[in-house]
Amino acid sequence: MISDSFLNRLKDILGPSHVDHSEAGLLTYAYDATPNFQSKPDVVVMPGNTEEVSKIVKLCLEHEVPIVPRGSGTNLAAGTAPTQGGLVLLFNRMDQILEIDKENLTATVQPGVITQTICETVESQGLFYPPDPSSMKISTIGGNINENSGGLRGLKYGVTKDYILGLEVVLPNGDIIQTGGKLAKDVAGYDITKLLVGSEGTLGIVTEAILKLIPKPEHKQTLLAVYQSMDQAAETVSSIIAQKITPATLEFMDQPTIGAVEEYAHIGLPTEAEAVLLIEQDGPQAIVENDIEQIADICEKHGALEVTIAETEQEANQLREGRRAALSAIARLSPTTILEDATVPRSEIARMVQAINQIAEKYNVGIATFGHAGDGNLHPTCMTDARDEDEMERVEKAFEEIFAHAIECGGTITGEHGVGEMKSPYLAWKVGERGLEAMKNIKTAFDPHNIMNPGKMFAKDTKKRITI
Amino acid sequence: MKLCQKHGLPIVPRGSGTNLAAGTTPSQGGVVLIFRNMNDIVELDEENLALTVQPGVLTEEIHQYVEEQGLFYPPDPSSGKISTIGGNISENSGGLRGLKYGVTKDYILALEVVLPNGDIVRTGGKLAKDVAGYDLKSLLVGSEGTLGIVTEATLKLIPKPFYKETMLAVYESLEDAAETVSAILANRIIPATLEFMDQGTIQVVEGYKQIGLPTDCEAILLIEQDGPKEIVEQDIEKMYSICKEYGALSLSKAVTEQEAEELTRARKDALSCLAYLSPTTILEDATVPRSKIAPMVREIKKVADKYDVRIHTFGHAGDGNLHPTCATDARDKEEMARVEEAFAEIFQIAVDMGGTITGEHGVGEMKAPYLEWKVGELGIEIMKAIKQAIDPNNIMNPGKVFAKSTKKRVVVSNV
């Protein structure tokens, strides 16, 4: 619980209208997109600038009140759930695009800007910010930075971290530091920028960021290929890469996902197919046309039942619609949806999908898988009911086995969602006890009083490792 | 490591010792650790486009090996012929292809590292996406041997570009050259190479090599593009007209591989020609936002005049990474004092322009007193906290990155 004097000082810093401790306010921020981690914060604040953030941090440090920075709360690993109460920090008043520097190809933004707004703004000027997490319509860039969000264009263009040139950060002691700059090369000291990107709000609060932009690709084409077997789809992916083609998008859906999507969107997908690949290429027109033609050939050679190349933007949109609708389509099927993001080396995708299906059967749970085939980032998605305790237990066991399997394939427990609180018991499986220890030492160096998003990333105990 | 820890002995990991910031000098004695016996290419994974190597492999050996398989490892530090990949990783080396392809850090997928307590940890994997915990890998790349010892690395490869073209543009004024650089990028072209030499460098190169460079011009741009043939041809054609439009005095486009070789030779020979000038050559790498290149080169010239030292500048125009190079004599203490003052002023100007004291060479011991100018006192504090957390007894490359005291800031006007 927080004291009245703490509240009053918050109001002094921010003005009373930007401090919310009403029951409705606290309930609103008691959860994120992760099922089963609801917990009310003690207070919700809306700072308007970096100095205010710094003052809030110093005050919280003095009173040892946990701070949970929060973008739009789309996190799927309970990374923004205030599970130890404390203060939720919102950025809806720090939501400006401060500058687009066309000469140095950078955008300077505040953390509260919606990702899609950035994409649209820079694209209207012929520029391009590639990271496109599926939540981009509502997620904030601050959230993307803290989670190192990926997206559909990861294979060709990389992830959020690859596009962060510099940060302004409030550290857990209230210090304000600037890292990086509008620089393609900078090796002055340790790379605090990259350490902070993806640190899930546990090391500091991002209050401004310089993004790297690139020229907008001139042309784009979209193709959909339908397969009778998962192996054929996986072979297609490997073969495309072996042909030295790097598509902008290389997405995949399995049979349960196709079924759910078709039932929801009626776009004419063959529900008996075991796999669908959605492939896009962008770049100069001649190259795109050439690549798409080659890709279509490869798909056919590897046994695609059907290959459709979109002739118009409208047709392309229809093809994309299926993959885009995947999560919503699956979410309709049950009261609770748990979306994971176990990631494996590209060469292991077919094996991994097979393993997921076997695990789902073993524990008698419904799991549909879709994801980014090109970069090995899969989204096994469980359709369940959080009220059914017996089933939830089986779901947890199934996901445990999926994580263990991903790691045995040389993969990771999370490709783009983050560890948060939900996956923290499994982190040591990936990074090892020694790796975890080094990370904890870094955490203590930054945040000795553990006020920044406590309980996230590091669990009290590591789950006992299961053997497969 | 455990033995050194027990005896409190400093450890200095060393590749080929090409470092230009005293990063691999054992200035506090101790153990120098060399990787001559750890120089194997461990595995090429064509399906995942990944190459696993030991730290002692030469950078150029990696280039040759993967290019034979139609693959490409882009980072190409100028020292690539003798530098090791372990050194490149510890320094986060750049190179001529930085603008289009990025630097070493962008191509490290996984590391095996021995931490200062002797623990062996593995970070990353053959993964395009991995957000499991803090990014120890990115922290270690460029940490200059102060946080641990890299014992194995998995590199990201990309398909080798099919085709490449080269051209050279000569300018009467520095501003024209700088405007050309901006215009090329504004036209949405990102060339593979966009290198620059100033008048002093041109004169020295021409003096030694007599390859027909016009010594009365203020700047030369060397431009290369790679990729699919039709795109390269189209880009080079566009850049050709941009150069012309922005006042290039003369333009040469290589028709054959041999001609391309001749055009690039001038830039490649820049450092060795400058090194002929005097007993001592000090090569720096102050880096500024791309838009500040012309003013930065002018400022460097002014500083050289002010302190009466010989500084010529060449470098990577596309990414703002300049190499002001001083021809001097380490035995002349009076001149060396002026050289140091000149470089201090250059660092200050770079930082004031939104740049950095080092773009690709590292801080080492030489630039440690200036680090605070770039990252601030609070930035240093947090970096020291990280160092302390990973290496509490300070046995890993002590005296590097962090100086005992920071240089007093130079006050620079007219920037």
Side-chain angles (χ1 to χ4, degrees), chain B residues 105-352:
Chain B
K105 185 166 292 186
D106 301 310
Y107 294 88
I108 306 300
L109 290 174
L111 293 176
E112 180 190 76
V113 180
V114 179
L115 293 178
N117 59 6
D119 282 353
I120 301 167
V121 297
R122 285 178 169 277
T123 73
K126 290 176 186 170
L127 299 165
K129 291 175 176 169
D130 176 18
V131 293
Y134 297 149
D135 192 348
L136 293 181
K137 188 183 65 179
S138 292
L139 180 64
L140 282 154
V141 178
S143 63
E144 307 192 20
T146 64
L147 297 180
I149 299 168
V150 173
T151 51
E152 196 178 286
T154 302
L155 313 179
K156 173 183 162 177
L157 306 176
I158 59 173
K160 189 182 165 193
F162 287 103
Y163 184 73
K164 185 164 151 182
E165 274 195 28
T166 306
M167 62 184 270
L168 194 82
V170 175
Y171 291 88
E172 192 164 23
S173 92
L174 202 56
E175 279 71 19
D176 289 349
E179 275 170 28
T180 302
V181 172
S182 298
I184 288 172
L185 293 154
N187 274 278
R188 303 191 199 171
I189 302 171
I190 300 199
T193 305
L194 189 38
E195 293 292 304
F196 147 88
M197 293 195 289
D198 74 351
Q199 189 166 26
T201 310
I202 297 165
Q203 286 168 351
V204 173
V205 171
E206 183 54 25
Y208 281 99
K209 300 273 166 176
Q210 279 111 32
I211 43 182
L213 298 176
T215 51
D216 53 340
C217 67
E218 266 199 354
I220 279 180
L221 291 179
L222 171 75
I223 305 171
E224 293 189 296
Q225 182 58 306
D226 61 10
K229 189 164 189 225
E230 51 208 303
I231 298 306
V232 171
E233 283 172 350
Q234 192 185 311
D235 282 356
I236 287 281
E237 204 175 300
K238 263 198 219 164
M239 289 192 279
Y240 196 92
S241 13
I242 292 169
C243 290
K244 234 180 184 168
E245 194 184 320
Y246 285 87
L249 294 176
S250 79
L251 277 159
S252 9
K253 199 161 76 180
V255 178
T256 63
E257 182 60 31
Q258 199 195 334
E259 277 179 39
E261 194 63 28
E262 273 165 31
L263 294 185
T264 51
R265 193 179 306 149
R267 165 63 183 89
K268 281 187 181 154
D269 286 343
L271 179 56
S272 44
C273 289
L274 290 171
Y276 288 140
L277 281 182
S278 59
T280 308
T281 311
I282 301 178
L283 174 67
E284 276 305 338
D285 74 328
T287 300
V288 291
R290 192 166 45 230
S291 59
K292 302 284 186 197
I293 286 177
M296 186 68 203
V297 174
R298 291 237 179 270
E299 289 297 329
I300 292 171
K301 249 181 118 191
K302 270 196 231 163
V303 170
D305 287 343
K306 176 174 164 190
Y307 292 98
D308 188 24
V309 292
R310 285 173 88 174
I311 300 181
H312 302 311
T313 305
F314 59 95
H316 318 299
D319 55 28
N321 182 202
L322 295 171
H323 291 310
T325 303
C326 186
T328 181
D329 185 343
R331 294 162 302 189
D332 183 341
K333 283 198 185 153
E334 189 271 329
E335 180 167 308
M336 284 303 280
R338 279 184 284 123
V339 169
E340 201 184 321
E341 276 179 77
F343 274 121
E345 199 159 321
I346 288 170
F347 295 150
Q348 185 64 61
I349 293 167
V351 169
D352 287 347

Side-chain angles (χ1 to χ4, degrees), chain A residues 103-104 151 161 175 180 185-187 190-191 202 238 244 287 346-347 372 375 377 412 414-416 430 434, chain B residues 47-48 70 95 105 119 124 129-131 134-135 146 182 290-291 316 319 321 356 358-360 374 378:
Chain A
E103 236 181 319
N104 293 305
K161 185 167 291 190
D175 282 354
K185 291 175 176 169
D186 177 18
V187 292
Y190 298 151
D191 194 342
T202 65
S238 297
K244 318 260 190 281
I287 300 304
R346 191 168 42 230
S347 58
H372 317 300
D375 55 27
N377 182 202
T412 181
T414 173
E416 56 181 10
K430 165 68 177 81
R434 313 260 148 129
Chain B
E47 229 178 328
N48 293 305
K105 185 166 292 186
D119 282 353
K129 291 175 176 169
D130 176 18
V131 293
Y134 297 149
D135 192 348
T146 64
S182 298
R290 192 166 45 230
S291 59
H316 318 299
D319 55 28
N321 182 202
T356 181
T358 173
E360 56 183 9
K374 165 67 177 79
L378 302 174

